[in-house]
Amino acid sequence: MSVVPDTTTKITFTENNTLFNKDGVQFIINPYDELAITRGLELAEANSGSVTVVHVGPAENEASIRKALSMGVTDSIRIDALAIDAQFVAEQIAEIAHGYDLILTGRESIDYNGGAVCGLLGALLNIPSANVVTEINYADGTFSFTRDIDGGREMMSCKGPVVASAQKDLCEPRIPNMRGIMAARTKPLQIVSPKTIVNASQVSSYESPAPKSGVKLIDPSNAQELIHILRNELKVI
Amino acid sequence: MSVIVFVEIDNQQYKKSSLEAISYGKKIAQTMGISCIALSLDTLSDTATLGTYGADRVISLSHNAAFTSDNSAQLLADACKQLSAQIVVVSNTYTGKSLAPRLAVALDASLATNVISLPDTNGGFKVKRGVFSGKAFAYTDLSKSTKVLAITPNTFDIDNSGSSATVETLAVSAEASKISIDKSDKEMGKVPLTEAEIVISAGRGLKGPENWNLIEELADLMGAATACSKPVSDMGWRPHAEHVGQTGITIKPNLYVAIGISGAIQHLAGVSSSKTIVAINKDPEAPFFKAADYGIVGDAFEVIPQLIHALKN
């Protein structure tokens, strides 16, 4: 589970564009991870299983872990480190991911958009990975998935353990109820020290997109002018 | 040492994004003084022409494995090891994004996805990546000696000034896949949204799914893919695969036309890298007009028929 800036956040940077500016930013559970948690809960409930949520991040993110617990998650692990990149996160999770039947991630986090942790975990644990899934079912020891592929979708299946990344449409995110919120207060949150790894990458600086120079308005009664511009001036159609 | 470019095949043709990747790989190879090798999982009638896009060598893999995410990555990793790959380039497509992480682990490489620049190799290896769903860019240093780069489609030009190459074959192997592919549904001839050069997108301003025939007609005439805003996909008017924006798909076509979409920050995040943006909205205060290059303040149901009429002439 990743903790990311709320989708309405205006993204700015500090320290000479080397650090994301957290000032006044509301942090939330990554929206795709909320889907992963929800579907994980639904599958566990139907098969008398349990769900563990794992987060790589600092103590200040524990409010989001408690939210996951209040959704119905059984227990939680926080790996006490700042996430450096997808490879760092996957290496940390791989350390504690043995023994689970199904590992779920989001399709990507909406901050760094790497979309890599699912495949990295699959390779590190030498298990199958199913990227960008919109359906997960389980019967008789076999998981079946529907996943987005370029220009269409694919139905695939395999035995567990398997890792999959959640795409929109997988389910409706579960909203915690009062009983869940009360229960979450006393659910286990284990804090684990990170494994030392060699960094694969490091962000050196950030940049914001250049602002648009200004819109050129076209008279709505003469809309065909737009086609003329696109065809003859910009030559894009 | 070599730059390896993995080329994707769709409907018995090489994808445009893969040709972009070869031309990109060639530029890196030239800078580093090494060769650029295009790797194809299959041999097609025009495999040799991959040379014209910049591949010094074109290699078709010989193997007997089914293509799944786990063993395709193993086949490619085997080839990369045999060819002493220093840089591996894939497209940032669903296929490329499934393979790249597994390849990075197999090769003990640094991985960068959403790459939108050539590497800066002055004293290191730095690439520019799209982050925060289009709201920012990050310059990222890759420190391992081998690198896997997933480059964003529609970002780099195709250079076809090279010459045709002789197709070599290379024997590779993988363990039996643990995955069974039960069914694959592809809309033939339809360009995936992330690779489309022109995208026509519509929002709640269209009032209902029954009006999408207007959008589809306009898109057909312009050779465009269709997309939609989050509310439209949430209400089930259009499939989720068409949702562009921060929690949908991030795209960067040459031309993005937004009709009846107000332009919330989450939507703009996913489309703001488009080269030219046109906004059509009846509300002159719609935030989209601040992010657009061209705008028409008018009713979609009056403007679209005019555009269709102009395109037919």
Side-chain angles (χ1 to χ4, degrees), chain B residues 117-141:
Chain B
S117 78
L118 278 163
D120 174 357
T121 51
N122 276 328
F125 195 98
K126 193 194 295 281
V127 290
K128 185 177 180 181
R129 305 174 45 236
V131 291
F132 292 101
S133 308
K135 290 178 181 173
F137 307 108
Y139 290 91
T140 308
D141 293 305

Side-chain angles (χ1 to χ4, degrees), chain A residues 5-11 13 20 31-32 85-87 91 107-132 134 144 147-159 163 167-169 198-210 212-227 229-231 233-234 236-237, chain B residues 8 10 15 69-70 74 93-98 101-102 104-105 109-111 113-114 126 128-144 175 178-187 190 192 194-195 198 222 230 233-234 240-241 243 246-250 254-255 257 265-266 272 274-278 280 289-298 303 306-307 310-313:
Chain A
D6 178 67
T7 56
T8 56
T9 308
K10 193 170 180 305
I11 304 297
F13 302 99
F20 170 61
Y32 296 113
D85 60 13
Q87 288 172 283
E91 291 269 6
R107 188 196 89 185
E108 63 180 34
S109 66
I110 63 163
D111 51 4
Y112 290 94
N113 312 112
V117 171
C118 171
L120 289 167
L121 275 173
L124 289 168
L125 299 168
N126 194 23
I127 60 173
S129 48
N131 256 16
V132 201
T134 55
S144 52
R147 66 185 200 99
D148 284 355
I149 56 173
D150 299 299
R153 45 197 205 140
E154 181 176 270
M155 277 60 115
M156 58 168 272
S157 54
C158 62
K159 302 265 180 211
V163 53
Q167 162 72 316
K168 212 181 153 189
D169 267 14
V198 178
N199 283 355
S201 74
Q202 182 87 50
V203 173
S204 56
S205 64
Y206 295 95
E207 189 179 283
S208 299
K212 287 275 179 185
S213 55
V215 63
K216 182 175 184 294
L217 287 177
I218 293 163
D219 182 351
S221 64
N222 187 27
Q224 59 266 31
E225 170 71 8
L226 175 67
I227 300 301
I229 293 171
L230 298 177
R231 194 177 267 161
E233 290 181 24
L234 300 175
V236 289
I237 58 169
Chain B
E8 291 176 40
D10 183 39
K15 292 175 72 167
S69 56
D70 51 354
Q74 283 182 13
T93 55
Y94 282 132
T95 304
K97 279 210 278 197
S98 285
R102 299 195 76 108
V105 171
S110 289
L111 170 68
T113 53
N114 302 317
K126 193 194 295 281
K128 185 177 180 181
R129 305 174 45 236
V131 291
F132 292 101
S133 308
K135 290 178 181 173
F137 307 108
Y139 290 91
T140 308
D141 293 305
L142 305 183
S143 44
K144 297 212 175 183
E175 294 165 25
K178 295 170 189 156
I179 297 170
S180 106
I181 306 289
D182 304 321
K183 196 171 168 215
S184 210
D185 285 333
K186 271 195 176 187
E187 272 195 66
K190 199 178 161 193
T194 49
E195 294 159 56
I198 304 176
M222 295 176 81
K230 182 169 188 290
S233 122
D234 284 351
H240 79 87
H243 164 204
Q246 187 163 17
T247 53
I249 296 171
T250 302
N254 281 335
L255 174 63
V257 181
I265 186 169
Q266 297 98 323
S272 60
S274 309
K275 288 197 185 90
T276 300
I277 296 178
V278 176
I280 299 170
F289 289 116
K290 289 200 173 67
D293 301 286
Y294 296 90
I296 299 178
V297 180
V303 172
Q306 285 189 63
L307 298 178
L311 283 162
K312 282 182 174 168
N313 288 326

Side-chain angles (χ1 to χ4, degrees), chain B residues 26-313:
Chain B
K26 173 66 174 179
K27 285 192 178 136
I28 301 179
Q30 280 174 329
T31 309
M32 300 178 72
I34 54 181
S35 63
C36 172
I37 303 174
L39 272 193
S40 174
L41 283 176
D42 252 330
T43 309
L44 303 185
S45 58
D46 60 348
T47 299
T49 62
L50 295 177
T52 58
Y53 302 100
D56 301 305
R57 293 172 69 190
V58 176
I59 295 179
S60 177
L61 299 181
S62 143
H63 57 86
N64 55 4
F67 300 139
T68 61
S69 56
D70 51 354
N71 67 5
S72 295
Q74 283 182 13
L75 295 174
L76 291 172
D78 184 1
C80 289
K81 283 176 187 163
Q82 292 188 45
L83 298 164
S84 313
Q86 195 170 359
I87 316 285
V88 184
V89 180
V90 304
S91 299
N92 205 57
T93 55
Y94 282 132
T95 304
K97 279 210 278 197
S98 285
L99 293 173
R102 299 195 76 108
L103 264 176
V105 171
L107 300 173
D108 189 25
S110 289
L111 170 68
T113 53
N114 302 317
V115 173
I116 54 167
S117 78
L118 278 163
D120 174 357
T121 51
N122 276 328
F125 195 98
K126 193 194 295 281
V127 290
K128 185 177 180 181
R129 305 174 45 236
V131 291
F132 292 101
S133 308
K135 290 178 181 173
F137 307 108
Y139 290 91
T140 308
D141 293 305
L142 305 183
S143 44
K144 297 212 175 183
S145 59
T146 308
K147 285 98 179 165
V148 176
L149 310 177
I151 64 167
T152 303
N154 281 343
T155 305
F156 302 98
D157 292 333
I158 292 173
D159 177 353
N160 61 357
S161 62
S163 50
S164 198
T166 310
V167 182
E168 305 165 49
T169 50
L170 181 72
V172 287
S173 62
E175 294 165 25
S177 178
K178 295 170 189 156
I179 297 170
S180 106
I181 306 289
D182 304 321
K183 196 171 168 215
S184 210
D185 285 333
K186 271 195 176 187
E187 272 195 66
M188 285 304 168
K190 199 178 161 193
V191 182
L193 205 43
T194 49
E195 294 159 56
E197 292 188 39
I198 304 176
V199 175
I200 309 287
S201 185
R204 266 183 301 196
L206 263 283
K207 294 193 164 57
E210 66 279 8
N211 295 322
W212 244 260
N213 58 337
L214 278 171
I215 300 300
E216 277 163 358
E217 186 177 2
L218 184 62
D220 278 347
L221 287 166
M222 295 176 81
T226 56
C228 70
S229 65
K230 182 169 188 290
V232 162
S233 122
D234 284 351
M235 288 184 291
W237 293 3
R238 300 297 291 178
H240 79 87
E242 284 200 0
H243 164 204
V244 292
Q246 187 163 17
T247 53
I249 296 171
T250 302
I251 55 171
K252 52 176 304 181
N254 281 335
L255 174 63
Y256 182 72
V257 181
I259 304 172
I261 301 175
S262 63
I265 186 169
Q266 297 98 323
H267 183 81
L268 294 178
V271 303
S272 60
S273 301
S274 309
K275 288 197 185 90
T276 300
I277 296 178
V278 176
I280 299 170
N281 203 300
K282 66 180 179 188
D283 175 10
E285 301 299 321
F288 227 130
F289 289 116
K290 289 200 173 67
D293 301 286
Y294 296 90
I296 299 178
V297 180
D299 187 318
F301 296 100
E302 286 165 21
V303 172
I304 301 172
Q306 285 189 63
L307 298 178
I308 289 173
H309 180 75
L311 283 162
K312 282 182 174 168
N313 288 326

Side-chain angles (χ1 to χ4, degrees), chain A:
Chain A
M1 177 186 90
S2 287
V3 176
V4 298
D6 178 67
T7 56
T8 56
T9 308
K10 193 170 180 305
I11 304 297
T12 59
F13 302 99
T14 60
E15 306 290 326
N16 201 18
N17 282 333
T18 57
L19 214 59
F20 170 61
N21 183 4
K22 289 184 174 178
D23 246 17
V25 172
Q26 172 93 23
F27 284 87
I28 57 168
I29 296 177
N30 182 43
Y32 296 113
D33 299 357
E34 248 181 348
L35 302 180
I37 292 167
T38 303
R39 188 64 190 136
L41 288 169
E42 291 168 357
L43 288 166
E45 285 158 7
N47 295 284
S48 323
S50 67
V51 177
T52 302
V53 70
V54 183
H55 173 62
V56 179
E60 65 198 56
N61 292 349
E62 283 183 6
S64 292
I65 297 177
R66 289 287 170 206
K67 184 182 173 195
L69 291 168
S70 71
M71 289 166 75
V73 167
T74 321
D75 58 1
S76 60
I77 299 171
R78 181 173 69 79
I79 298 167
D80 189 25
L82 293 173
I84 294 162
D85 60 13
Q87 288 172 283
F88 179 88
V89 171
E91 291 269 6
Q92 300 304 334
I93 296 173
E95 283 295 291
I96 51 108
H98 294 277
Y100 293 92
D101 302 300
L102 175 67
I103 302 166
L104 289 171
T105 68
R107 188 196 89 185
E108 63 180 34
S109 66
I110 63 163
D111 51 4
Y112 290 94
N113 312 112
V117 171
C118 171
L120 289 167
L121 275 173
L124 289 168
L125 299 168
N126 194 23
I127 60 173
S129 48
N131 256 16
V132 201
V133 301
T134 55
E135 251 186 273
I136 307 175
N137 291 300
Y138 174 78
D140 305 324
T142 298
F143 289 95
S144 52
F145 303 93
T146 302
R147 66 185 200 99
D148 284 355
I149 56 173
D150 299 299
R153 45 197 205 140
E154 181 176 270
M155 277 60 115
M156 58 168 272
S157 54
C158 62
K159 302 265 180 211
V162 51
V163 53
S165 70
Q167 162 72 316
K168 212 181 153 189
D169 267 14
L170 180 61
C171 54
E172 284 299 315
R174 187 177 289 187
I175 296 159
N177 58 27
M178 189 45 79
R179 205 164 61 108
I181 293 166
M182 296 305 285
R185 292 182 182 173
T186 53
K187 283 184 178 174
L189 195 173
Q190 188 191 345
I191 295 160
V192 174
S193 294
K195 170 193 171 190
T196 309
I197 69 154
V198 178
N199 283 355
S201 74
Q202 182 87 50
V203 173
S204 56
S205 64
Y206 295 95
E207 189 179 283
S208 299
K212 287 275 179 185
S213 55
V215 63
K216 182 175 184 294
L217 287 177
I218 293 163
D219 182 351
S221 64
N222 187 27
Q224 59 266 31
E225 170 71 8
L226 175 67
I227 300 301
H228 175 80
I229 293 171
L230 298 177
R231 194 177 267 161
N232 302 315
E233 290 181 24
L234 300 175
K235 300 188 191 328
V236 289
I237 58 169

